Amino acid sequence: MPSYTAPTRDTQFVLHDVLSVSTSDTPGYAELDAEFTSAVLEEAGKISSEVLSPLNPVGDTEGCVLENGVVRTPTGFKAAFDELRNGGWTALDLPEEYGGQNMPYVLGTAVGEMFSASNQAFTMYHGLTHGAASAILAHGTEAQKTTYLPRMANCDWTGTMNLTEPHCGTDLGLMRTKAEPQDDGSFKVTGQKIFISAGEHDMAENIIHLVLAKIPGGPEGIKGVSLFIVPKFNVNDDGSLGNRNAVTCGKIEEKMGIHGNSTCVMNYDGATGYLLGEEHKGMRAMFTMMNEARIGVGMQGLAQADVAYQNAVAYAKDRLQGRAVTGDENPDGPADPLIVHPDIRRSLLDQKSFVEGARAFLLWGAQLIDQSHRGNDEAAEGLISLMTPVIKGFLTDEGYDMTVLAQQVYGGHGYIEEWGMSQFTRDARIAMIYEGANGVQALDLVGRKLAQDGGKHVMAFFEMVKTFIKENEGNEALKADFLDPLKEASKHLQASAMYFMQNGMKNPNAALAGSYDFMHLFGHVCLGLMWARMGKAAYAALEDGAADEMFYKTKLATGRFYMKRRLPATSMHLARIESGADLVMELDAEQF
Amino acid sequence: MPSYTAPTRDTQFVLHDVLSVSTSDTPGYAELDAEFTSAVLEEAGKISSEVLSPLNPVGDTEGCVLENGVVRTPTGFKAAFDELRNGGWTALDLPEEYGGQNMPYVLGTAVGEMFSASNQAFTMYHGLTHGAASAILAHGTEAQKTTYLPRMANCDWTGTMNLTEPHCGTDLGLMRTKAEPQDDGSFKVTGQKIFISAGEHDMAENIIHLVLAKIPGGPEGIKGVSLFIVPKFNVNDDGSLGNRNAVTCGKIEEKMGIHGNSTCVMNYDGATGYLLGEEHKGMRAMFTMMNEARIGVGMQGLAQADVAYQNAVAYAKDRLQGRAVTGDENPDGPADPLIVHPDIRRSLLDQKSFVEGARAFLLWGAQLIDQSHRGNDEAAEGLISLMTPVIKGFLTDEGYDMTVLAQQVYGGHGYIEEWGMSQFTRDARIAMIYEGANGVQALDLVGRKLAQDGGKHVMAFFEMVKTFIKENEGNEALKADFLDPLKEASKHLQASAMYFMQNGMKNPNAALAGSYDFMHLFGHVCLGLMWARMGKAAYAALEDGAADEMFYKTKLATGRFYMKRRLPATSMHLARIESGADLVMELDAEQF
């Protein structure tokens, strides 16, 4: 059975050596000293390794079962959910007045990575609840907040997001679900929603569905979509549970992975719903959930890559097969461990350098969200808005590829289910799809975010990279190993953006045909920047005579690998982008 | 349910326009005129679409079941197997004297692609039989050939390959299975073999296991390994079936995919076996099967990519979602089909340009095998020996990635099992692992094949590319769109080989750390070469006023896409290779 060790040491490094969270002036960050974050991370790591990780294969094997409208979650899920609930882990960053712990988002994200790595299907139950609670927090009336949030904070009630319908996923303007106004101010919601994660299950007293629907007579298409709160059980005025609402789970899907999470077809049959936010402004309200959810999904990509990597390393050290080409390294044994072989190391370093770079990128993103929300920092808001599709798209694509690499280290044992490596790959696959398929992320990035506010945010990004390089060029080792490759990669990103500017105006396809490559190019530059920042921090720690010398030396070696071995991908992406639209648009549909 | 249409038109183009099989002087090729190959391909395509493809999801859902030592294959498999058997499809290229049809390997490969695309798990039953029969044909005594081959040709008896043991896969020198000589010249085989595809099932009267084992007292390690024929039922002198041999299936594995094929743990408990080939020369005999099997696995990568691509195209044309950025293309409908979107086209063209390039590469490889076996052409033998790991490793890695891209086109519908796209991905995953994991292919390529015969074969490859470019530079369109990119990519390949030569002698790790990238770089150059050859053929056909103008124009557009959008990967691989060994070897095992 695979195991999971929480990356507490590495997370601490990112939080304190790189992001300097406790000395930042973001409100609430002062309490994030190393001792405090360490205590939280250690405890979260313990639950992840000891409670959630052993349940991961159980969830995969048993899956969820629908019987007579009731969904049974896998053995042990309910007890583990209670443990999380009782430990106060389900609402770290919600406000205290609504039952949360008011911790910065950055710490909630670091903890979320651990939960997600140890059991993605399980963690989705409270992850989605958190997203739904955030939307109510941002758009709900005071009564709605008081009614729902405290119960959602401790997951006595869980939450869902209902967007997709059978005929529309990305293009929500085609939506058919209706919400008809009633005399008492409520609505009757009717329609079918599909792919609803945690739509029905047996771990909570109530389930609060957030449902997109159209109010008849409203504007056509996406502009006529509103958001509704539809509880599974109606809630009485005193907060107690009333009668069952007209919402039922019609089916749970057979999926490639995340079997432990119930993916439901939800049927709304005149269910009572309550408008959340303004009429016809449903998409705006939903995006509160979506942006957070997208960063959470990027986190899942990293998380599955890390747990898969950890198990690949363990196997590579343990499995004896072949001999090192430079001479036996285990002369008393029948063969050397796999880890002596250069190509196994190449694979493991691709994984390790991604995981650590991605973790820094993700936590930096979370810090920007805190700066934006808690500090009202508009520059931070612009930057994270720009980078959200990169975090989602790049980290999930790469994260998936890393699980495939990790699985490969096991040879045939990676393909059979017994060793658990297949599950990491199957579970990681969904992250490239949900919360907006990665092609849609690329479209959002190039079609929308890049030119937002006159291109101000991407210019700020380039400026930040340039400034970082300039300020640190005096460090010669850093310059040669980190800054020079970063400068080169950043040039490729700028050349791509320039190409889009020069060609996209007269032919938007010239930009969109390169959108996917741009998203990956951007991702590599972000990881390159994070590695440069980590490199700087590691050199500084070594100069300061840090006790944990080996940690910092390993960090530098891993970073050098990323800069030399992964960053060269940027020139390939640039070449693909500069090949333009014609090659992509030339064929008629019937020529495919 | 997914569907499959055999690529008859495209295969015909490769066979006749590109490889000119019927005018080649390879023995047996004269009969391969366009009419004949078309008739065979049409018929094979029909069986693939109508019989095998509908059974593909059945095999995935039902899987194989082991009860009381008997393995039950999925519903419908046995009837379909009879249909193949009766149609003479199971031994196209075996000699007529042993019940085959004596067709060239190139045609068997073209047919094999279709069977494999429509149902990989099913096709493995006769594919492995064919491999085992080839080993008996090459290394068996006349009596062995007469006893086994005719029954294996029509799959009344199927075959297996038994290499892996629980503690050794790649490193077969660690093998523990023993074969003790008996007075009558037979052996008693004892040990456990794992991951035995089609090891036990209900579709054949007998199963002929080819088993690697050590004769006690023989040389240590891999040099003491011999190959044995171990039939499930002993065969009487008159060819009738005798008593049950002491070989049993102990377990079938739960796997990520190819559920329709029984992957067995086989227990040999003093089973009667017969030496195949010479004592202690088992690896050599096994390699007869392995080389053919590796090309067959490369074919599986292409095949799964093609069927996944076909279904992605169908969905992209059918699913209405969003609007083209340049104006509605389906103004009367609620939205435009997915295929109007540049990023969907980018994905489909990545797939299409791979599939068609890979098909040409595979069939060229099969032609080289015919030239080598039938024509005793040593240059062809050297070249295919060099390229076998590239066909296996590159086509399965890329083939897998393409199934992931195809699945992505379906969004959430690609992740649920209902639409069948997940199965293509799960099935394709095994091809990167079995018959030598792709890392081992890269090792074989760089550690062995590159320097074979003084590097003669790789030099011949470079010379061939150079000559082709030189001879065709007069065609200006071909030069700009195909030859120039090919020249550039080929330079990267040569620079890599040069890097290995200059650095690998004093430090073998300098070569091995770049082996995987070299395999991919080589693969891209091979596909680039095939696209250049196809481009030449397409231009020629258009000049000749070919009736099927649209086919050739589509071919050229697809080829241009590959040259401009995929070949730039070669510079990335070169950069990775030239970053050398130190980055890969630096960390100690405990630093990972």
Side-chain angles (χ1 to χ4, degrees):
Chain A
M1 200 170 70
S3 66
Y4 175 68
T5 307
T8 310
R9 176 70 186 90
D10 198 52
T11 304
Q12 285 283 88
F13 166 72
V14 175
L15 291 177
H16 301 289
D17 293 33
V18 183
L19 301 179
S20 308
V21 290
S22 64
T23 58
S24 139
D25 57 4
T26 304
Y29 268 45
E31 68 177 277
L32 297 182
D33 61 61
E35 206 176 335
F36 175 71
T37 59
S38 168
V40 172
L41 296 174
E42 287 289 347
E43 203 52 42
K46 211 171 140 195
I47 295 175
S48 300
S49 303
E50 295 173 8
V51 179
L52 304 187
S53 171
L55 286 178
N56 197 41
V58 177
D60 189 53
T61 311
E62 292 187 15
C64 293
V65 181
L66 172 67
E67 269 171 9
N68 304 321
V70 178
V71 170
R72 201 170 63 239
T73 53
T75 308
F77 269 41
K78 201 167 182 325
F81 207 62
D82 283 339
E83 200 164 333
L84 244 66
R85 194 180 260 148
N86 296 336
W89 290 103
T90 52
L92 291 183
D93 61 320
L94 284 178
E96 274 175 322
E97 57 181 311
Y98 300 119
Q101 317 240 9
N102 203 30
M103 281 186 201
Y105 184 69
V106 73
L107 191 56
T109 302
V111 169
E113 184 207 320
M114 296 174 181
F115 290 165
S116 189
S118 55
N119 199 325
Q120 178 174 331
F122 176 90
T123 300
M124 288 168 66
Y125 290 98
H126 55 98
L128 285 160
T129 306
H130 186 275
S134 300
I136 294 174
L137 184 66
H139 302 283
T141 61
E142 196 47 47
Q144 287 173 332
K145 291 187 211 177
T146 318
T147 304
Y148 297 106
L149 291 182
R151 268 89 160 198
M152 293 176 79
N154 69 0
C155 281
D156 280 346
W157 301 356
T158 61
T160 71
M161 293 168 66
N162 290 240
L163 290 80
T164 306
E165 300 183 5
H167 61 289
C168 71
T170 299
D171 189 354
L172 291 170
L174 302 176
M175 184 174 296
R176 290 180 194 147
T177 298
K178 279 184 314 191
E180 290 169 304
Q182 306 298 302
D183 291 342
D184 65 354
S186 71
F187 291 77
K188 289 286 178 211
V189 178
T190 304
Q192 187 177 66
K193 295 286 181 178
I194 64 170
F195 302 157
I196 308 308
S197 299
E200 179 59 48
H201 61 88
D202 57 1
M203 303 198 293
E205 293 166 14
N206 202 2
I207 300 177
I208 310 305
H209 303 290
L210 298 198
V211 183
L212 285 180
K214 285 185 172 175
I215 300 169
E220 286 291 297
I222 199 74
K223 290 181 179 156
V225 167
S226 307
L227 184 59
F228 298 88
I229 298 174
V230 183
K232 174 178 167 184
F233 287 99
N234 288 307
V235 180
N236 298 323
D237 288 344
D238 64 355
S240 64
L241 295 187
N243 58 339
R244 188 75 155 74
N245 206 346
V247 46
T248 51
C249 170
K251 181 188 169 191
I252 49 180
E253 307 285 357
E254 297 291 330
K255 308 184 299 291
M256 184 174 174
I258 52 165
H259 296 156
N261 198 278
S262 56
T263 304
C264 301
V265 172
M266 298 303 297
N267 295 316
Y268 294 87
D269 192 16
T272 302
Y274 307 92
L275 186 68
L276 177 60
E278 293 174 53
E279 269 191 19
H280 313 317
K281 297 281 164 66
M283 287 311 292
R284 211 178 59 183
M286 194 51 110
F287 262 99
T288 308
M289 293 171 71
M290 293 272 276
N291 275 331
E292 186 190 313
R294 284 175 176 182
I295 290 170
V297 172
M299 177 187 80
Q300 292 176 345
L302 150 67
Q304 291 305 303
D306 188 25
V307 65
Y309 164 71
Q310 290 185 18
N311 285 281
V313 168
Y315 192 78
K317 288 181 187 170
D318 187 59
R319 174 86 169 173
L320 304 180
Q321 208 79 176
R323 289 294 187 184
V325 68
T326 47
D328 296 6
E329 301 216 357
N330 175 33
D332 299 334
D336 289 340
L338 285 180
I339 204 163
V340 306
H341 301 301
D343 187 59
I344 293 286
R345 294 174 150 258
R346 182 269 316 160
S347 165
L348 293 175
L349 279 162
D350 276 343
Q351 296 167 54
K352 180 176 171 66
S353 65
F354 166 74
V355 165
E356 295 177 14
R359 180 172 295 127
F361 184 31
L362 177 78
L363 293 177
W364 176 43
Q367 185 183 36
L368 289 171
I369 286 185
D370 281 329
Q371 286 167 358
S372 152
H373 290 182
R374 293 172 168 252
N376 292 315
D377 179 336
E378 281 184 24
E381 190 181 349
L383 200 53
I384 189 59
S385 162
L386 172 71
M387 293 196 310
T388 294
V390 182
I391 291 176
K392 198 282 184 181
F394 182 70
L395 296 195
T396 60
D397 276 358
E398 289 276 314
Y400 177 74
D401 286 350
M402 297 305 149
T403 65
V404 174
L405 286 182
Q407 186 186 19
Q408 188 74 10
V409 171
Y410 279 66
H413 299 278
Y415 195 66
I416 61 174
E417 296 295 351
E418 190 179 333
W419 291 75
M421 299 304 286
S422 158
Q423 187 188 351
F424 299 137
T425 299
R426 291 184 290 96
D427 285 1
R429 183 68 185 86
I430 187 58
M432 297 157 73
I433 299 173
Y434 60 18
E435 305 304 338
N438 286 356
V440 175
Q441 303 299 326
L443 178 66
D444 180 46
L445 175 65
V446 169
R448 211 168 135 257
K449 299 295 177 64
L450 210 50
Q452 212 167 35
D453 301 323
K456 188 165 85 174
H457 310 303
V458 74
M459 297 309 293
F461 178 84
F462 288 135
E463 195 55 39
M464 186 183 53
V465 173
K466 210 171 120 186
T467 305
F468 181 82
I469 293 173
K470 210 167 189 178
E471 283 177 357
N472 293 285
E473 277 180 329
N475 182 336
E476 274 178 41
L478 191 70
K479 181 175 186 306
D481 288 343
F482 292 88
L483 302 181
D484 289 348
L486 174 61
K487 191 188 262 181
E488 178 78 4
S490 178
K491 260 190 215 162
H492 295 155
L493 188 63
Q494 290 185 58
S496 301
M498 188 63 75
Y499 179 84
F500 290 159
M501 266 199 325
Q502 286 169 344
N503 297 277
M505 289 293 271
K506 54 178 188 284
N507 179 11
N509 288 332
L512 299 184
S515 58
Y516 212 87
D517 284 283
F518 187 79
M519 180 172 76
H520 274 255
L521 207 175
F522 206 153
H524 278 297
V525 173
C526 288
L527 258 62
L529 173 64
M530 297 322 293
W531 270 116
R533 290 178 66 177
M534 291 195 282
K536 179 185 172 180
Y539 278 120
L542 287 171
E543 244 171 56
D544 290 355
D548 197 359
E549 196 187 45
M550 190 51 78
F551 175 84
Y552 294 104
K553 286 189 167 171
T554 305
K555 186 60 76 180
L556 287 171
T558 309
R560 280 194 295 266
F561 182 93
Y562 195 89
M563 304 312 278
K564 284 273 170 66
R565 284 248 172 183
R566 300 301 320 283
L567 270 195
T570 58
S571 71
M572 175 186 74
H573 291 301
L574 175 60
R576 282 173 64 99
I577 288 166
E578 290 183 338
S579 75
D582 292 353
L583 292 169
V584 170
M585 302 311 296
E586 187 175 349
L587 295 188
D588 290 332
E590 60 270 24
Q591 288 178 279
F592 278 87
Chain B
M1 200 168 71
S3 66
Y4 174 68
T5 307
T8 310
R9 176 69 186 92
D10 198 53
T11 303
Q12 286 282 90
F13 166 72
V14 174
L15 291 177
H16 301 291
D17 293 32
V18 183
L19 301 179
S20 308
V21 290
S22 64
T23 58
S24 138
D25 57 3
T26 305
Y29 267 45
E31 67 176 279
L32 296 182
D33 60 63
E35 209 176 332
F36 174 71
T37 58
S38 169
V40 172
L41 295 174
E42 286 290 347
E43 203 52 42
K46 212 172 139 193
I47 295 175
S48 300
S49 302
E50 295 173 9
V51 179
L52 304 187
S53 171
L55 285 178
N56 197 41
V58 177
D60 189 54
T61 310
E62 292 189 13
C64 294
V65 181
L66 173 66
E67 269 171 8
N68 304 320
V70 178
V71 170
R72 200 171 62 238
T73 52
T75 308
F77 268 42
K78 202 166 182 321
F81 207 62
D82 282 339
E83 200 164 333
L84 244 66
R85 195 179 259 148
N86 297 335
W89 290 104
T90 52
L92 291 183
D93 62 319
L94 285 179
E96 274 175 323
E97 55 181 313
Y98 299 119
Q101 317 240 10
N102 201 31
M103 279 186 201
Y105 183 69
V106 73
L107 191 55
T109 301
V111 168
E113 185 208 317
M114 295 174 182
F115 290 165
S116 190
S118 55
N119 199 325
Q120 178 173 330
F122 176 90
T123 300
M124 290 168 66
Y125 289 98
H126 54 98
L128 285 159
T129 305
H130 186 276
S134 300
I136 294 174
L137 183 67
H139 302 282
T141 62
E142 196 48 47
Q144 287 173 332
K145 290 186 210 177
T146 318
T147 304
Y148 298 105
L149 291 183
R151 269 88 160 199
M152 293 177 78
N154 70 359
C155 282
D156 281 346
W157 300 357
T158 61
T160 71
M161 293 168 66
N162 290 239
L163 289 79
T164 306
E165 299 183 5
H167 61 289
C168 69
T170 300
D171 189 354
L172 292 169
L174 303 175
M175 185 173 296
R176 290 179 194 149
T177 300
K178 278 182 317 190
E180 289 170 304
Q182 306 297 302
D183 292 342
D184 64 355
S186 71
F187 291 78
K188 290 285 178 212
V189 178
T190 304
Q192 188 178 66
K193 295 287 182 177
I194 65 170
F195 301 157
I196 308 309
S197 299
E200 178 59 46
H201 61 87
D202 57 2
M203 302 199 295
E205 293 166 14
N206 202 2
I207 300 176
I208 310 304
H209 303 288
L210 297 198
V211 184
L212 286 180
K214 286 185 173 174
I215 300 168
E220 286 289 299
I222 199 73
K223 290 180 180 159
V225 168
S226 308
L227 185 59
F228 298 89
I229 297 174
V230 183
K232 174 178 169 185
F233 288 99
N234 288 306
V235 180
N236 298 323
D237 288 345
D238 64 356
S240 64
L241 296 187
N243 59 339
R244 188 73 155 76
N245 206 347
V247 47
T248 52
C249 170
K251 181 188 169 191
I252 49 180
E253 307 285 356
E254 297 291 331
K255 308 184 297 293
M256 184 173 173
I258 51 165
H259 296 156
N261 199 277
S262 56
T263 305
C264 301
V265 173
M266 298 303 296
N267 295 316
Y268 294 86
D269 192 16
T272 302
Y274 307 93
L275 187 68
L276 177 61
E278 294 174 53
E279 268 191 16
H280 313 317
K281 297 279 165 68
M283 287 311 291
R284 210 176 59 181
M286 194 50 109
F287 263 99
T288 308
M289 293 170 71
M290 293 274 276
N291 275 330
E292 186 190 312
R294 284 175 176 182
I295 290 170
V297 173
M299 177 187 79
Q300 291 176 345
L302 151 65
Q304 291 305 304
D306 188 24
V307 65
Y309 164 71
Q310 290 185 19
N311 285 282
V313 168
Y315 192 78
K317 287 181 188 171
D318 187 59
R319 175 86 168 173
L320 304 180
Q321 207 79 175
R323 289 292 186 185
V325 68
T326 46
D328 296 6
E329 301 216 357
N330 176 33
D332 299 333
D336 289 340
L338 285 180
I339 205 163
V340 306
H341 301 300
D343 188 60
I344 294 287
R345 295 174 148 257
R346 182 269 317 161
S347 164
L348 293 176
L349 279 161
D350 275 344
Q351 297 167 54
K352 180 177 171 65
S353 65
F354 165 75
V355 165
E356 295 178 13
R359 179 172 297 126
F361 184 32
L362 176 77
L363 292 177
W364 176 42
Q367 184 183 37
L368 289 171
I369 286 185
D370 282 328
Q371 286 167 357
S372 152
H373 290 182
R374 292 172 169 252
N376 292 313
D377 179 336
E378 281 184 22
E381 189 181 349
L383 200 52
I384 189 59
S385 162
L386 172 71
M387 294 195 309
T388 293
V390 181
I391 292 176
K392 199 282 184 182
F394 182 70
L395 295 194
T396 60
D397 277 357
E398 288 276 315
Y400 178 74
D401 286 350
M402 297 306 148
T403 65
V404 174
L405 286 183
Q407 187 185 19
Q408 188 75 10
V409 171
Y410 279 66
H413 299 277
Y415 195 66
I416 61 173
E417 297 293 351
E418 191 179 332
W419 290 77
M421 299 304 287
S422 157
Q423 186 188 354
F424 298 137
T425 299
R426 290 184 290 96
D427 285 0
R429 182 68 186 87
I430 187 58
M432 297 157 72
I433 298 173
Y434 60 18
E435 305 304 338
N438 286 356
V440 175
Q441 303 298 328
L443 178 65
D444 179 46
L445 175 65
V446 170
R448 212 168 135 257
K449 299 294 177 65
L450 210 50
Q452 212 169 33
D453 300 324
K456 188 165 84 173
H457 310 303
V458 75
M459 296 309 293
F461 178 84
F462 288 135
E463 196 54 38
M464 186 183 52
V465 173
K466 210 171 119 186
T467 305
F468 181 82
I469 293 173
K470 212 168 188 175
E471 284 176 358
N472 294 286
E473 277 180 328
N475 183 335
E476 273 178 43
L478 191 71
K479 181 174 186 307
D481 288 343
F482 292 88
L483 301 181
D484 289 347
L486 174 61
K487 192 187 260 180
E488 178 78 5
S490 180
K491 260 191 214 160
H492 294 156
L493 187 64
Q494 289 185 59
S496 300
M498 189 63 75
Y499 179 85
F500 291 160
M501 266 201 322
Q502 286 169 345
N503 299 276
M505 290 294 271
K506 54 178 190 285
N507 179 12
N509 288 331
L512 298 184
S515 58
Y516 212 87
D517 283 283
F518 187 79
M519 180 171 76
H520 275 254
L521 207 175
F522 206 153
H524 278 298
V525 173
C526 289
L527 258 62
L529 173 64
M530 297 321 293
W531 271 116
R533 291 178 65 178
M534 291 195 282
K536 179 186 171 177
Y539 279 121
L542 287 171
E543 245 171 54
D544 290 354
D548 197 359
E549 197 187 45
M550 190 51 80
F551 175 85
Y552 293 104
K553 286 189 168 169
T554 305
K555 186 61 76 180
L556 287 171
T558 309
R560 280 193 295 266
F561 182 94
Y562 195 89
M563 303 313 277
K564 284 274 169 64
R565 284 250 172 182
R566 299 302 318 281
L567 270 194
T570 58
S571 71
M572 175 186 75
H573 290 302
L574 175 60
R576 282 174 64 101
I577 288 166
E578 290 184 340
S579 75
D582 291 352
L583 291 169
V584 170
M585 303 310 295
E586 186 174 348
L587 296 187
D588 290 333
E590 60 270 24
Q591 288 178 278
F592 278 88

